[in-house]
Amino acid sequence: MRLKLAPVIAAALVLGLAACGSATGDSKSDTAEGKPLNSSVPTWCGSKKITLALADGFGGNAWRQVTRAEAQDEVSKCPSVTSYLYADGQGNTQKAISDIQGFTAKGVDAMVVFPDAGKAMLPALRSAYKAGVVTVPYRVSPGGEAGKDYDYFVDTDFKEAGVLWANWLVKALPNGGNVVNLGGPPANSQSQDEYTGMMSVLKDHPNIKFVGQTPYNVTNWDPAETQKVVTALLAKYPKIDAITTDYGNALASSFSAFQQAGRKIPPIATEDANLLGCEFQKAKSAGSGWGLFTVSSQNWMSRLAVDVAVAKATGGVIPTNMTAPQEAFEDSLTGQPNQVKCDPSLPGDAFLSSKLTPTQQQAALKG
C-alpha cells in the first residue's frame, strides 16, 4: 500500500509559534545549547534541528483525525522540527510495521507511534530505537521496556477510566442489569484495561453483569462495524440495561439500530463526543432521554507524546510526567464536572474536550 506522508513546511512551523502555549508546561527564555530558543518557544523544544514522524496504526475515524491534528498543532510550536511526516497504518498490522520501518530507513530523528496492534509492533519499535531514532509509543502498550526497546512510553491509566464508568453504572443501575461492553481491535490493551477497571468495582455488585463477549465486543473503533455489532447484540439480548464503550462517537452513529429494533437507548458510559452529546440533548427534549457519563476523549494526549519525542531529540526539557490523566467530563446524573454538552456549530465528529479551536477541529474533520 502507498505510504501516506504529510510533510509540514518549516516556514509553516515557524508561523505556528504564534500559539505558543504548551500542553505540558510553560515557556521560558533560555538561550543555552539544547534549550528553547526564545521566550515564545516551549521548554520541550530544544535547538537541534530534527525530522519528526507520526506512525498511526489506524487513522480512519474522527477520533484519529482530531488526535492527529492535535499532534500537528503541537509540532507547529517548535521551529526545530523542520519536517513532519505522517503515515496511516489503516488498521493493517503489516502496513503499520512497514510504516515504522520506512520512517527508520528514511532517517527520521524521532518517531511518535500509536501501536494499535500492541505487542506485534514491538520488534519494529525496537529496530527503530536500535537504529538511533528517538522512539515514543503512546496510549496503547506495545509491551517491552522503555530504555531497552524504545525511549519512552506515554501512557494513561485505562483501568481508571473503567473504574469511573463502573462507579457511575452503580448509580445509574441501582437495581442491577445487563451491560454490553464495546471495545476496539482484538487484544488491544486499552479496551482490556478498561474492562479490568470496571470489574474491580463491579465484583462487589453481582447484580450488574456483562453480556455478550468479554472482555469486550470487538468493533475495531469503526462506526460501520459498531453498528453491525450493536444490531447483532440487540437481536440476541432482549434486555440490555446499559452500554460501556471507549468510542462514544461510533456508538452514537449506531443509534438507528435501536430505532429499527424498537428499543430504547439505555444509559451509556463512554468517552465524550459532540454527536453523542447532541443526540442526548435531542432525546432529552423529546422526553425520551437516557443517562450519559463520559470521560475526556484525550485527543490531546498526542501532544504529550510529541513533547516527549521532540524534547529528547532536540535537547529540550523532557516532561517529567508521561501519564495523561483520566478525567470525568460529563455526567447527566450529577452535572459534575459538566452537564452533557452539545455544540451545534461543530460537526458531530468533534470532541468538546479537545484542545483544538473549533476552526481547527472543523479543518481536521474535513480533511
Side-chain angles (χ1 to χ4, degrees):
M1 297 183 183
R2 182 172 63 86
L3 187 66
K4 295 185 177 180
L5 299 178
V8 177
I9 299 173
L13 293 175
V14 174
L15 289 174
L17 292 173
C20 63
S22 170
T24 58
D26 59 358
S27 301
K28 63 182 181 181
S29 178
D30 192 340
T31 57
E33 183 178 357
K35 296 299 189 295
L37 305 175
N38 55 57
S39 60
S40 69
V41 178
T43 57
W44 49 264
C45 177
S47 60
K48 182 180 177 181
K49 305 298 183 183
I50 68 163
T51 296
L52 175 70
L54 172 59
D56 207 350
F58 173 71
N61 63 35
W63 190 91
R64 294 304 179 95
Q65 290 169 343
V66 172
T67 300
R68 174 186 173 185
E70 296 257 12
Q72 187 160 333
D73 182 60
E74 194 75 353
V75 171
S76 73
K77 300 172 184 177
C78 182
S80 296
V81 182
T82 59
S83 181
Y84 173 58
L85 309 175
Y86 173 83
D88 176 2
Q90 300 174 359
N92 183 312
T93 300
Q94 289 306 311
K95 168 120 178 16
I97 290 171
S98 295
D99 290 342
I100 292 174
Q101 293 170 337
F103 283 142
T104 303
K106 284 178 179 292
V108 301
D109 299 293
M111 190 186 318
V112 172
V113 181
F114 198 125
D116 287 79
K119 293 181 180 179
M121 304 302 298
L122 186 59
L125 291 169
R126 185 186 298 120
S127 293
Y129 173 71
K130 296 297 185 183
V133 180
V134 173
T135 308
V136 180
Y138 80 106
R139 195 164 180 85
V140 173
S141 173
E145 181 181 342
K148 179 180 177 182
D149 301 296
Y150 40 81
D151 288 271
Y152 301 101
F153 175 51
V154 174
D155 67 353
T156 188
D157 189 354
F158 289 113
K159 293 186 181 70
E160 181 57 27
V163 168
L164 291 169
W165 291 344
N167 284 330
W168 185 82
L169 286 175
V170 171
K171 294 185 294 183
L173 302 175
N175 298 318
N178 295 337
V179 180
V180 163
N181 185 36
L182 307 177
N188 82 84
S189 61
Q190 173 179 346
S191 300
Q192 290 178 336
D193 285 351
E194 289 160 345
Y195 176 77
T196 299
M198 285 190 284
M199 288 306 298
S200 71
V201 174
L202 297 181
K203 63 182 175 58
D204 297 326
H205 300 273
N207 60 340
I208 299 177
K209 62 180 182 178
F210 287 101
V211 296
Q213 293 181 345
T214 56
Y216 57 91
N217 297 272
V218 173
T219 69
N220 295 320
W221 294 317
D222 177 73
E225 183 65 22
T226 299
Q227 184 164 353
K228 292 180 183 178
V229 171
V230 169
T231 298
L233 288 167
L234 289 170
K236 185 174 183 179
Y237 298 102
K239 187 173 184 289
I240 296 176
D241 301 294
I243 296 176
T244 54
T245 176
D246 43 18
Y247 191 29
N249 205 6
L251 178 60
S253 298
S254 304
F255 283 169
S256 59
F258 289 90
Q259 297 172 342
Q260 293 168 2
R263 304 272 289 274
K264 292 183 178 180
I265 298 171
I268 297 168
T270 183
E271 294 184 347
D272 80 281
N274 193 40
L275 177 61
L276 192 63
C278 292
E279 288 293 328
F280 172 90
Q281 299 284 17
K282 187 188 305 180
K284 183 178 179 181
S285 298
S288 56
W290 30 271
L292 179 62
F293 174 82
T294 68
V295 294
S296 168
S297 61
Q298 290 189 316
N299 304 89
W300 41 263
M301 187 175 173
S302 60
R303 294 179 183 267
L304 178 56
V306 165
D307 295 353
V308 172
V310 171
K312 175 69 173 179
T314 64
V317 179
I318 299 172
T320 56
N321 184 3
M322 298 187 192
T323 298
Q326 288 289 338
E327 301 170 334
F329 185 65
E330 301 160 307
D331 188 338
S332 66
L333 298 180
T334 67
Q336 298 297 322
N338 298 297
Q339 295 286 355
V340 178
K341 295 184 174 185
C342 167
D343 187 342
S345 70
L346 283 174
D349 288 346
F351 301 90
L352 300 186
S353 64
S354 169
K355 295 184 183 298
L356 294 174
T357 65
T359 300
Q360 287 174 320
Q361 279 210 66
Q362 288 172 338
L365 294 167
K366 287 179 181 178

